Amino acid sequence: MKTRYLTMIAIAAMMTLAGESQIMAQTKKETKQYAKTISKATVAAYEKFLSVFPESVYAGEIELLRDRKLYEAVDKDDVMALEDFLAKYPKTGIKDEVEALVDRLNTSDITADEALAIANETLENQAVKAVALRHRNMDIVLALPKDASCVYKLVKSGETWNLAETIPVDRGTHDSSLNLMEIGETMDMVRIGTDRGLNFDYWCSSEASDKVEYVTSFINISDSEQYSSQFYGRKIGGKIEGSSPDDLSIQTGMSIHTSWLYARLNENPSLVRISEENLKADQAIEWWLRNNPNALTNSKRLSPGKLDEDNAIVAQYKKSAKEKGTGYDAAKFNFRGYLMICAYNRSTGEYVLVWCEPQNTKGRAGRDLRSIYFETGSSVLDLFYYQGNKTFKIKLNLSSKTISRS
């Protein structure tokens, strides 16, 4: 064993020496050319060395020296020349330095308030937000109207500002019923990879639904290409509980622009990923409202919705006070923006959503369900309401699935 161990050490040492000899031999030849190249200090000499010794241990240093020599000749006040340099040498070791200068040259001295004033003077007060920038040595103002339906691109010519382009905003929503758009808080010039552009957000909603979609977008200043990432769900309090369609793209991949926007979504504390239990609750609410469209007014038929035991509505039912009737228990509670009544069928072991209406937010002017109770010896559940100075009842027969009013 000892002999084998010593043999392995000897082999390793020989391999190391052989490698070092090879490097030394290579380096000796390169070193002479390296010294000659350094003494000449010209782009031509640097290029010649790199063509002869592309894998040299000196290659990194020579590339950096070449790039700095080339950079010396670039007009540092000409952003187009700087961008052309980066396009030609995208992996240069001075990339961060050049990009920082490009960003400075592309930053406008015009404030957001001044940009908005310029936009509204040019667009007759159609803008509510605006930013200014410089792009390829030109002064530009980008402005958004209240409904975020487009981006106005204004360009300065001499002392005059003119509307150069109206860029339509892709609504980005996957729910076509959300037909109302409104601008959000964010509007900034950002850089994603090598592309600079406008990052802004907006909301899509509908008067007929409590669903809402938050969209954050990026429009590339060079070609007006738009990218977006969305978060869809229900607005509950000051938050949206839902999910992003781009959650599925994590596995399949997404562009650098969409990835950047998706990261912004994940940093937003007002966007909350919905749990499976709450998702089932929302689906049950939607089902009940769709199948009982006139329950609150004049319908005589009731279509209860069956609930899986892992539905969040069931969990809420279990911790609420119960009313007991013939064959059924029932409980009322406020949950996810709705007043609900959930019942438990003691003979079948099923949970059902029997009533669902928006929570009262109007005080005495709104419908206020004060109490529920079963009529003696029956499965008829009475709902006792106050509205202003009036009272009324709605009766739900859980056995016959009918509704009556008094």
Side-chain angles (χ1 to χ4, degrees):
M1 180 65 72
K2 185 175 181 181
T3 302
R4 182 182 176 187
Y5 178 70
L6 291 172
T7 301
M8 291 175 64
I9 292 176
I11 292 172
M14 290 173 65
M15 291 176 65
T16 301
L17 289 171
E20 288 180 350
S21 297
Q22 185 178 6
I23 292 171
M24 288 176 66
Q26 182 187 37
T27 303
K28 185 176 180 181
K29 182 178 180 181
E30 291 170 4
T31 299
K32 184 177 179 181
Q33 186 64 37
Y34 167 76
K36 186 177 179 181
T37 300
I38 293 296
S39 65
K40 285 188 175 182
T42 63
V43 171
Y46 297 142
E47 294 283 11
K48 181 179 179 181
F49 181 92
L50 292 170
S51 66
V52 176
F53 304 107
E55 304 298 326
S56 169
V57 294
Y58 301 115
E61 180 187 351
I62 295 297
E63 284 181 354
L64 186 59
L65 289 169
R66 177 204 63 188
D67 293 352
R68 286 209 171 275
K69 195 71 174 178
L70 289 166
Y71 188 49
E72 287 176 6
V74 176
D75 183 351
K76 307 301 187 297
D77 294 321
D78 184 353
V79 74
M80 295 172 65
L82 293 165
E83 289 176 347
D84 290 344
F85 175 83
L86 287 173
K88 189 172 182 179
Y89 303 101
K91 296 182 180 180
T92 178
I94 57 173
K95 181 178 180 180
D96 290 346
E97 178 184 334
V98 182
E99 285 184 340
L101 180 55
V102 169
D103 286 342
R104 287 199 298 275
L105 292 174
N106 281 328
T107 301
S108 175
D109 294 330
I110 300 170
T111 68
D113 288 341
E114 291 169 341
L116 184 58
I118 290 167
N120 279 326
E121 183 178 348
T122 308
L123 303 169
E124 298 180 352
N125 297 316
Q126 296 181 53
V128 295
K129 282 182 179 290
V131 293
L133 69 146
R134 286 183 60 78
H135 176 66
R136 298 186 77 77
N137 300 326
M138 287 193 304
D139 287 306
I140 295 174
V141 165
L142 299 176
L144 282 165
K146 185 177 181 180
D147 65 0
S149 59
C150 63
V151 173
Y152 299 114
K153 181 178 178 181
L154 285 68
V155 176
K156 189 175 184 181
S157 177
E159 296 301 316
T160 306
W161 288 91
N162 300 300
L163 177 61
E165 185 179 3
T166 300
I167 307 167
V169 172
D170 179 6
R171 290 178 63 246
T173 179
H174 68 282
D175 186 342
S176 59
S177 70
L178 304 181
N179 57 351
L180 301 178
M181 287 175 62
E182 186 173 2
I183 191 172
E185 292 296 320
T186 299
M187 188 176 184
D188 295 309
M189 293 305 302
V190 300
R191 179 155 55 83
I192 302 177
T194 58
D195 293 332
R196 294 180 71 253
L198 181 68
N199 174 224
F200 61 101
D201 57 49
Y202 54 95
W203 301 89
C204 297
S205 61
S206 161
E207 291 180 351
S209 170
D210 62 353
K211 290 296 181 69
V212 66
E213 187 153 27
Y214 169 84
V215 184
T216 182
S217 287
F218 173 80
I219 290 183
N220 192 340
I221 192 63
S222 296
D223 56 13
S224 300
E225 186 76 18
Q226 181 179 349
Y227 306 84
S228 62
S229 188
Q230 308 86 23
F231 192 91
Y232 176 74
R234 294 180 60 234
K235 200 164 188 178
I236 301 176
K239 298 182 182 295
I240 299 177
E241 190 171 13
S243 61
S244 169
D246 289 322
D247 291 341
L248 300 175
S249 300
I250 296 175
Q251 266 103 71
T252 58
M254 57 180 77
S255 71
I256 183 176
H257 307 86
T258 305
S259 180
W260 187 94
L261 294 166
Y262 179 69
R264 279 206 69 240
L265 289 183
N266 291 331
E267 293 168 359
N268 192 329
S270 66
L271 307 179
V272 180
R273 290 299 192 282
I274 193 169
S275 66
E276 187 67 25
E277 295 80 5
N278 282 344
L279 178 60
K280 288 187 174 184
D282 286 353
Q283 291 170 341
I285 293 168
E286 289 180 8
W287 186 94
W288 195 94
L289 295 173
R290 187 168 59 250
N291 287 276
N292 296 275
N294 301 312
L296 305 186
T297 54
N298 56 14
S299 177
K300 295 181 180 180
R301 297 297 304 172
L302 178 67
S303 297
K306 293 182 181 180
L307 302 171
D308 295 334
E309 189 148 1
D310 61 352
N311 191 306
I313 295 173
V314 173
Q316 195 71 19
Y317 164 84
K318 289 181 178 180
K319 59 186 180 183
S320 301
K322 315 292 190 299
E323 296 292 327
K324 293 187 177 294
T326 301
Y328 289 90
D329 298 338
K332 78 174 182 74
F333 45 85
N334 290 324
F335 187 53
R336 301 189 67 71
Y338 289 86
L339 168 73
M340 303 181 189
I341 299 175
C342 179
Y344 175 69
N345 187 325
R346 293 196 296 271
S347 63
T348 65
E350 291 179 338
Y351 296 92
V352 288
L353 180 61
V354 298
W355 197 252
C356 184
E357 63 179 271
Q359 283 180 227
N360 178 24
T361 59
K362 299 178 180 179
R364 286 174 56 82
R367 296 160 51 103
D368 184 14
L369 179 57
R370 292 293 180 88
S371 61
I372 65 170
Y373 54 88
F374 281 100
E375 295 182 1
T376 304
S378 76
S379 60
V380 176
L381 185 65
D382 287 4
L383 284 57
F384 184 71
Y385 282 90
Y386 268 89
Q387 187 167 16
N389 296 322
K390 298 179 181 180
T391 63
F392 61 93
K393 281 185 183 179
I394 296 178
K395 298 174 180 284
L396 308 179
N397 190 321
L398 302 188
S399 296
S400 64
K401 298 181 178 56
T402 58
I403 306 172
S404 60
R405 294 168 174 81
S406 62

